[in-house]
Amino acid sequence: MAAGPDRGGRRHSSAKKSRGQQEPRWGWLKAAFLLSAAAIGGLLSWSYLGTEDGVTEVLARHSENLQDKFIEIPCSEDYDGHKRFEGCTPRKCGRGVTDAIITREEAERIRRIAERGLSLGGSDGGASILDLHSGALSLGKHFVNLYRYFGDKIQDIFTEEDFALYRDVRRRVQQRIAQAFGIHSASMYLTKPTFFSRINNTEAKTTHDEYWHPHVDKVTYGSFDYTSLLYLSDYAEDFGGGQFVFMDASSNKTIEPRIGRVSFFTSGSENLHRVEKVHWGTRYAITISFTCNPDHGIGDPVLP
Ligand SMILES: *[C@@H]1O[C@H](CO)[C@@H](O)[C@H](O)[C@H]1NC(C)=O
Ligand SMILES: *[C@@H]1O[C@H](CO)[C@@H](O)[C@H](O)[C@H]1NC(C)=O
């Protein structure tokens, strides 16, 4: 945005010196400046205006390959209502996106774990979840415990290699978050719920299918301190809609899912967010949640 006025300012001062003899030339320059300012202004407002009624800015496009993007924002007071764990509880808040820690191939393997698991159940509505930690799996209008329901047969569905990859991905996401917020990875604990989601445009049948409402993770789940999402399918290729949106007072900031993309953020109300409704296709992701409170920590999933 600085390019327009700065360029104009320099032209203005150089034109001033020779105003007398160069009046027509200055007039032409002024017209050119106004035209280019209008063009730049038009481009800016075009890129800021999305499909919503208000202002939308795209933080991460599907086509981009982001190394590490991080935006610091002031922390909300949500953390004060909970026990603080120095060296972990957020003092620095913000949000980040990276395409550099999980490869496309790894994300495809992780998606196949989700596909296999979810093929055993599925919600009647458009949003199904699978939690490998607790075993929770959407089935119709309810949830079942995958491990209890399928017993030993689960070993035909998932392998040790699947679970090893899942642990490794979790570990790398945890390290990336710790690095971004300047804390020790070992001071954070995986917490629940950590789960796969599969969303399509089937109409919601219960409130569990209503994923699109704005919410604050730390208000919904008191234990959360850092939330992350690993996307397992591609926006605009595998599904339409389904963008992740940070809802700030001044604008909505969207992240377009990309397979292998990790987005992460502090879980308080500085990061109010929602997911746009999926219009077509199927959107897969995994939500990986962390807490600073060891009492709320959970272990990695293990094959029964
Ligand atoms: C953000 O999106 C919501 C819901 O789509 C909309 O109601 C709100 O006006 C938007 N906010 C801004 C600042 O554009
Ligand atoms: C969408 O998801 C629902 C619920 O899991 C499933 O029954 C339905 O077959 C899916 N539809 C498509 C087109 O994939």
Side-chain angles (χ1 to χ4, degrees):
M1 221 188 278
D6 185 41
R7 257 172 72 202
R10 255 179 306 189
R11 280 184 186 180
H12 190 96
S13 53
S14 63
K16 230 183 209 167
K17 289 178 222 149
S18 50
R19 172 158 281 182
Q21 68 264 47
Q22 295 210 357
E23 203 64 56
R25 181 102 183 269
W26 167 232
W28 183 86
L29 277 173
K30 197 161 131 191
F33 166 65
L34 287 175
L35 272 174
S36 61
I40 291 167
L43 272 174
L44 280 174
S45 53
W46 175 76
S47 69
Y48 274 72
L49 284 177
T51 49
E52 303 302 315
D53 5 304
V55 184
T56 304
E57 189 187 328
V58 181
L59 277 188
R61 286 191 192 281
H62 170 258
S63 57
E64 293 175 290
N65 187 350
L66 295 167
Q67 284 308 296
D68 58 318
K69 183 163 184 150
F70 184 78
I71 297 146
E72 188 170 347
I73 48 175
C75 292
S76 63
E77 289 170 0
D78 294 1
Y79 307 97
D80 298 344
H82 297 262
K83 192 173 172 197
R84 290 196 76 91
F85 293 86
E86 283 316 319
C88 180
T89 302
R91 292 222 175 263
K92 172 184 179 182
C93 290
R95 37 184 90 143
V97 189
T98 176
D99 293 308
I101 60 171
I102 311 295
T103 67
R104 184 172 195 95
E105 290 67 35
E106 289 167 330
E108 282 167 354
R109 281 175 59 200
I110 294 277
R111 186 180 64 208
R112 286 195 288 273
I113 302 175
E115 284 170 347
R116 270 181 268 135
L118 283 158
S119 72
L120 302 173
S123 164
D124 285 347
S128 305
I129 67 118
L130 165 66
D131 176 340
L132 290 180
H133 305 266
S134 69
L137 169 71
S138 303
L139 187 68
K141 292 183 173 57
H142 307 277
F143 298 95
V144 290
N145 185 313
L146 171 90
Y147 300 122
R148 231 177 285 147
Y149 209 73
F150 297 95
D152 286 348
K153 271 172 43 195
I154 216 68
Q155 284 158 15
D156 304 333
I157 315 283
F158 305 122
T159 65
E160 279 299 345
E161 291 74 54
D162 292 338
F163 280 48
L165 176 65
Y166 185 95
R167 282 195 294 276
D168 191 38
V169 163
R170 188 272 305 150
R171 186 185 52 80
R172 274 139 66 191
V173 170
Q174 183 169 346
Q175 284 176 345
R176 182 68 193 85
I177 296 174
Q179 182 200 351
F181 292 97
I183 62 176
H184 286 293
S185 170
S187 68
M188 303 163 63
Y189 304 87
L190 190 66
T191 193
K192 64 179 178 188
T194 282
F195 58 97
F196 288 108
S197 56
R198 183 187 70 188
I199 307 178
N200 71 14
N201 68 355
T202 298
E203 189 196 337
K205 299 295 187 308
T206 71
T207 54
H208 298 298
D209 298 314
E210 298 185 13
Y211 57 86
W212 57 84
H213 299 294
H215 62 277
V216 171
D217 291 346
K218 193 151 189 75
V219 173
T220 312
Y221 314 103
S223 64
F224 280 37
D225 289 304
Y226 299 93
T227 308
S228 65
L229 296 146
L230 165 61
Y231 296 107
L232 304 175
S233 42
D234 282 308
Y235 170 78
E237 289 179 17
D238 297 320
F239 61 90
Q243 303 98 319
F244 178 96
V245 189
F246 287 113
M247 302 180 77
D248 294 343
S250 60
S251 71
N252 286 309
K253 302 191 178 68
T254 63
I255 293 178
E256 298 174 353
R258 172 179 160 111
I259 189 163
R261 172 167 287 173
V262 175
S263 75
F264 56 92
F265 49 92
T266 44
S267 310
S269 37
E270 66 278 5
N271 281 314
L272 173 70
H273 61 273
R274 63 189 284 264
V275 173
E276 289 280 348
K277 283 191 180 180
V278 168
H279 302 312
W280 59 266
T282 307
R283 178 195 195 267
Y284 283 92
I286 173 164
T287 302
I288 310 175
S289 333
F290 297 97
T291 182
C292 295
N293 187 341
D295 293 343
H296 292 139
I298 61 168
D300 284 309
V302 279
L303 265 186

